[in-house]
Structures are given as C-alpha cells and as structure tokens.
Amino acid sequence: MAGHSKWNNIKRRKGAQDAKRGKIFMRLAREIFMAAKEGGGDPDMNSNLRLAVDKAKSNNMPNENIDRAIKKATGDLDGVHYEEFTYEGYGPGGVAVMVKVLTDNKNRTAADVRHAFNKNDGNLGENGCVSFMFDRKGYLVIDRETTNIDEEELMLEVIEAGAEEMETGEEQFEIFTTPEAFTAVKAALEASGHTFETSEVTMFPTTYTPLEQEGVEKMLKLIDMLEDNDDVQDIYHNLDADDEILEQLS
C-alpha cells in the first residue's frame, strides 16, 4: 500500500474544506437507502447496509437521519428509483479517475460528469478503462492521540483480528483488510476498545500518476466540480502530488 498516503491526504483535504454537511448527509442517506432497498432494513442481516451505516456514523450523521433513510427504503416511497453507476476516465495528465454515482436520472448525471471531465482537461472513458488500476480494500484509521497502545501491541491485535497490513504514521495507524474481512476486523478491534477516525471499504490505486503544480491544480478543480454534484457518492483517483504543492493549493 506504499504511496497511498498522498491520495488520502488529498481526500482529507477535501473533507476538511467541505463545510456542506447537509450535502454529505444527503449522500450518505442515499447510500443507506439503496442498501436497505436492495437487502432489507436489518444491518445484522445486510452487510452492505451495515457498511453504509458505519460510514454514516463515522461522519457523525445523526441516528435519526440513519433511521429515516432505512424506513423510507423499507416503506412505500412511490416515484423514487435510484440507480448506481461507476464512470471511469482520465483527468489532467492521464490521472485515472473513477466516479461512483447514485442517481434518479442517468442521462442528466452522465452529462454532468462528462462536462466536469471535459472542462478540466480530462476525458470520460469506457467501463473498465481504469478500474484495473484499483484494489478494493477495507480501511481503518486509529488516531494515535486517542490510544495509549504502542505499535507492536496494536500490530499483534491487528494480525489476530485478521487484517492484511498496518502502516504507522506520525499521527495515525492505518489498517488494511480484504473487503470480506472488514466487518470482523473492525468488530474485533472495537471489542479491544479502539475507536476509528475512518472506517470504510474503499478503492486504492495500485499505481500513481505524478503531476506538477499546474496539473495538480486542474485535478483538484475536477475533484471539486464532481464533489459539487449531488449525484456523486465517491471519487477515486491515482494522483501523486507533492505535499508542498498540496499545501500551497489548500
């Protein structure tokens, strides 16, 4: 997983900038809605719903919002039909980009996503054109300030819980799992008293595309434009940018 931290720094930068909590909650509610609609409203029996609820809670979404989304999905809500799609393409400088959307109007969303790519020196591609550059992984982050455990002791717990790998940074421990083991690893570490700054199943690039400052600026504008689209749920990319450049553009 070496090198993923640059990707995560960009993701955290966007998260820190985005003060539109209502928009974040709307996207999370939509994800919960879809999971409950497809697999039922009991998180214990529906792993996708459990993951969506965990993601919502890690973003401090109120329980009443979560419950309302589940009830809407399992009740009678005429006229609402969401579809999930993933668009793939290339950003400026050939950066691989995947855009996960949840929409009630495929044509509108496709046009909006294509426009965002075209406006920022990118181009939308065919399905499969970049997805092979990403691996799906469970991802757990423990803030070092919130735990008294040392690295070796935590590493033993992580291995025993069934995780694949752990990386240690100055401010946090990052734990990686297979998607299938994510829930069990998370539960085992929670039972040991750990809390998580981030807990999700997401996509990590296997290779990275470095850009100079001009390209990074264009790529961040593409990310911002996609993030502003209400239908966009997640954005994955393989941009490699120097921390100094990111700091200048923050």
Side-chain angles (χ1 to χ4, degrees), residues 28-43 46 48-49 52-53 64-82 102:
L28 293 168
R30 201 179 283 184
E31 193 169 336
I32 292 169
F33 177 93
M34 278 292 291
K37 190 86 171 175
E38 293 176 355
D42 183 356
N46 182 346
N48 287 333
L49 177 58
V53 168
E64 62 184 32
N65 294 39
I66 295 172
D67 293 340
R68 189 182 307 122
I70 294 174
K71 288 177 181 177
K72 282 184 178 180
T74 55
D76 183 15
L77 195 66
D78 293 333
V80 177
H81 177 63
Y82 289 119
L102 208 54

Side-chain angles (χ1 to χ4, degrees), residues 232-243:
V232 173
Q233 296 292 111
D234 287 297
I235 303 165
Y236 312 111
H237 59 79
N238 73 341
L239 171 64
D240 182 359
D242 288 339
D243 291 338

Side-chain angles (χ1 to χ4, degrees), residues 16 34 36 50-51 62 70 98 102 120 123 149 162 195 218 242:
M34 278 292 291
R50 184 165 62 249
L51 289 174
I70 294 174
M98 296 175 63
L102 208 54
N120 294 282
N123 60 283
I149 195 169
T195 58
K218 290 179 180 178
D242 288 339

Side-chain angles (χ1 to χ4, degrees), residues 32-245:
I32 292 169
F33 177 93
M34 278 292 291
K37 190 86 171 175
E38 293 176 355
D42 183 356
D44 292 332
M45 303 296 293
N46 182 346
S47 60
N48 287 333
L49 177 58
R50 184 165 62 249
L51 289 174
V53 168
D54 285 346
K55 183 177 179 181
K57 288 182 176 179
S58 71
N59 281 275
N60 299 315
M61 186 173 179
N63 287 332
E64 62 184 32
N65 294 39
I66 295 172
D67 293 340
R68 189 182 307 122
I70 294 174
K71 288 177 181 177
K72 282 184 178 180
T74 55
D76 183 15
L77 195 66
D78 293 333
V80 177
H81 177 63
Y82 289 119
E83 293 181 280
E84 184 176 85
F85 299 97
T86 300
Y87 296 100
E88 302 180 35
Y90 296 92
V95 172
V97 184
M98 296 175 63
V99 185
K100 179 182 173 183
V101 306
L102 208 54
T103 179
D104 59 354
N105 188 325
K106 179 183 178 182
N107 292 334
R108 177 198 67 219
T109 304
D112 289 346
V113 171
R114 186 179 300 277
H115 174 66
F117 274 85
N118 291 342
K119 188 173 182 179
N120 294 282
D121 290 349
N123 60 283
L124 206 56
E126 299 294 329
N127 287 343
C129 68
V130 301
S131 58
F132 68 93
M133 301 182 194
F134 295 82
D135 284 337
R136 191 165 179 258
K137 298 280 186 180
Y139 182 55
L140 299 161
V141 177
I142 298 176
D143 189 333
R144 296 190 71 163
E145 292 185 358
T146 65
T147 180
N148 294 321
I149 195 169
D150 64 33
E151 180 181 355
E152 290 187 8
E153 187 177 350
L154 179 59
M155 177 66 80
L156 290 174
E157 289 188 5
V158 166
I159 293 172
E160 186 175 347
E164 284 190 326
E165 185 180 357
M166 186 182 88
E167 291 186 5
T168 302
E170 292 183 3
E171 299 179 353
Q172 59 194 17
F173 298 107
E174 295 174 293
I175 300 159
F176 303 91
T177 78
T178 63
E180 296 77 16
F182 173 78
T183 300
V185 172
K186 181 173 183 288
L189 293 175
E190 283 177 333
S192 297
H194 299 294
T195 58
F196 305 103
E197 182 181 282
T198 301
S199 62
E200 61 182 344
V201 176
T202 187
M203 303 292 286
F204 285 97
T206 56
T207 61
Y208 289 80
T209 301
L211 294 181
E212 299 299 329
Q213 181 162 339
E214 183 180 355
V216 173
E217 189 169 4
K218 290 179 180 178
M219 184 61 199
L220 294 182
K221 286 180 179 178
L222 171 59
I223 293 172
D224 286 343
M225 192 168 179
L226 290 169
E227 285 278 5
D228 285 339
N229 188 317
D230 291 342
D231 296 331
V232 173
Q233 296 292 111
D234 287 297
I235 303 165
Y236 312 111
H237 59 79
N238 73 341
L239 171 64
D240 182 359
D242 288 339
D243 291 338
E244 290 184 6
I245 294 176

